[in-house]
Amino acid sequence: MAVCVRQSRNNIINLVKSKMGLLGLTNLSSSVSSLNNDHITLSTASLAKDLRNESSVFENKPTLYRTRRFESTKPHQRSGVHSNGASSQFLDFPGGQVAFTPEMRFISESRKERIPCYRVLDDDGQLIQGSIDVGKEIAVKMYSDMATLQTMDTIFYEAQRQGRISFYLTTIGEEAINIASAAALTIDDFVVPQVTRTYIHVYFLTIFSSITPTLFNSHTHINYREPGVLLWRGFTLQQFANQCFSNKGDDCRGRQMPIHYGSKKLNYFTVASTIASQLPHAVGLAYSLKMDGKDACAVTYFGDGGSSEGDFHAALNFAAVTEAPVLFICRNNGWAISTPTSDQFRSDGIVVRGEAYGVRSIRVDGNDTLALYSTVRAAREMAIREQRPILVEALTYRVGHHSTSDDSTKYRPVDEIELWRSARDPITRFRKWIESNGWWSGEAESELRSNVRKQLLDAIQVAERTEKPPLVDIFTDVYDVPPSNLSEQEKGLRETIKIHPQDYPSDFPL
């Protein structure tokens, strides 16, 4: 990268000292080339050479780019080629030494064997070998939250079918990924489930859902199955209900579709409908944590369908180059709505893509609560301690329909769904393990399910009775002083409501 300026060399150095001290440029070769007249082109290497002579520039400054990134680019010989015989020739090239070979050999499109999947519990909920460092308190809380999440999904799904809310999406079959990963994090870690973007028109779709059901049915590109992370962090059942019913108690003030949760207090960025666009955002967030020297990481979730988006590839490369402490957790459930993974890609799932971008990766059984917990905990520790991204591919299955707008039996065999629902259910498997330890019982199960159901039904009744947000909230929280065009839109909307009051809910506060 060259910096083209009209100042003297000394002025350039002083400017960089004051403005670019945080870059921590190290181990770069120097080069200087000049342009005509009063233009001078200085490479970052040349600037770094002068800056290194001024130790004060870097004093007490964090090194944002670790020196190990450049170690492999140091030339061992000026010629660029080293030889101890024809068979040992190699080329010094950016990124490291590359060996020469007289054999023309193409890299295979696939490995001989698929990447293995890490698991701790077998299908009967028994440890495969050794022991696991998980105590009673955290194990019982993980199970309780998984059962709560399952109950919440069942009741809210029924509420949507009754016409009480406009849209819903379940996490059935993927509860372990939600809860186990959340348990392995800390509240200081930022969660980016989907991109943090609010759509004004969604407010209307939510508030006026009784007259716009077909518009909601068109919103099918959604893959938000991390409410369990919020549940683990303390988001209440009443808060879930308020958001789904888009009432005045909703933190988003009714501006989002149901199940588009968010909480600034809990470091959980708000969900939106754009697939995979949250991934580069998570990398930028992780890089800011790195700059601030925080003992925390960013965590972002996405499905196998999200890995087919360009943002996925950009994010992995961005994270690898900047060495950002971010965890990419992929829920590979085999289906991107109705598109199977076989129609999406030919690679061995998602995990192999990490190696291509220089990202450490692992594949784990997404229905094994203990395996997920230990994996994410270890990944978080590596990401922060070593300042690097980690990719986790969790193999699981979406037992429920993609959303209330979907009928998955139209494109998936019913017996396949039932196999995963019965024989590979993550909640049943984990329950067997905690029961074998004497930490759970049938009585505790009945009491938990009964209490959660009662709390949810009460929360729904409260949410239904709570009035909707006022009309003005559609136009707030974006500009400090609303621009004239936004004021004109508000005025026009109010006039439209006056002319056509029959088209708007009577309980909607103007």
Side-chain angles (χ1 to χ4, degrees), residues 378-404:
R380 178 188 182 274
E381 182 181 347
M382 282 189 290
I384 297 174
R385 184 183 69 248
E386 301 178 25
Q387 293 294 284
R388 68 166 65 249
I390 306 290
L391 171 62
V392 177
E393 180 189 23
L395 300 184
T396 184
Y397 191 84
R398 169 171 54 83
V399 171
H401 303 299
H402 175 75
S403 71
T404 50

Side-chain angles (χ1 to χ4, degrees), residues 52-101:
R52 284 197 296 270
N53 293 330
E54 300 291 339
S55 59
S56 61
V57 174
F58 299 105
E59 187 174 358
N60 298 323
K61 298 289 187 180
T63 302
L64 303 187
Y65 290 97
R66 298 166 65 91
T67 56
R68 64 181 169 86
R69 294 181 59 222
F70 302 101
E71 287 176 356
S72 61
T73 65
K74 295 178 181 178
H76 292 268
Q77 291 187 359
R78 292 189 178 275
S79 64
V81 178
H82 175 78
S83 176
N84 288 325
S87 62
S88 62
Q89 285 188 341
F90 61 81
L91 173 69
D92 282 325
F93 197 79
Q97 296 177 354
V98 180
F100 291 119
T101 175

Side-chain angles (χ1 to χ4, degrees), residues 30-48:
S30 62
S31 63
V32 178
S33 59
S34 60
L35 295 178
N36 55 4
N37 299 330
D38 54 350
H39 284 69
I40 300 176
T41 302
L42 299 177
S43 70
T44 54
S46 179
L47 292 174

Side-chain angles (χ1 to χ4, degrees), residues 344-383:
Q344 292 185 62
F345 45 76
R346 288 292 181 267
S347 63
D348 179 12
I350 316 301
V351 67
V352 294
R353 304 184 192 181
E355 182 180 7
Y357 287 107
V359 175
R360 188 174 296 172
S361 310
I362 186 173
R363 171 175 283 164
V364 60
D365 183 348
N367 288 17
D368 184 343
T369 305
L370 294 182
L372 275 162
Y373 173 74
S374 57
T375 295
V376 175
R377 187 172 64 170
R380 178 188 182 274
E381 182 181 347
M382 282 189 290

Side-chain angles (χ1 to χ4, degrees), residues 177-178 181-182 185-197 223-230 233 256 259-264 266-289 296-303 306 311-312 315 318 324-331:
I177 297 176
N178 274 245
S181 64
L185 305 174
T186 73
I187 192 63
D188 294 325
D189 299 321
F190 285 82
V191 176
V192 189
Q194 288 287 332
V195 70
T196 57
R197 188 174 299 159
N223 204 4
Y224 321 131
R225 307 189 194 279
E226 286 80 46
V229 180
L230 270 178
R233 292 190 170 196
Q256 288 278 27
I259 60 92
H260 287 54
Y261 309 110
S263 174
K264 180 179 179 180
L266 300 177
N267 288 335
Y268 187 100
F269 281 63
T270 306
V271 175
S273 300
T274 42
I275 297 299
S277 54
Q278 82 278 7
L279 301 180
H281 297 182
V283 179
L285 172 58
Y287 189 61
S288 72
L289 295 174
C297 66
V299 184
T300 185
Y301 297 81
F302 59 102
D311 281 337
F312 166 79
F318 183 21
V326 54
L327 304 186
F328 296 96
I329 301 180
C330 175
R331 290 173 281 92

Side-chain angles (χ1 to χ4, degrees), residues 305-319:
S307 73
S308 297
E309 297 285 343
D311 281 337
F312 166 79
H313 300 274
L316 256 65
N317 191 57
F318 183 21

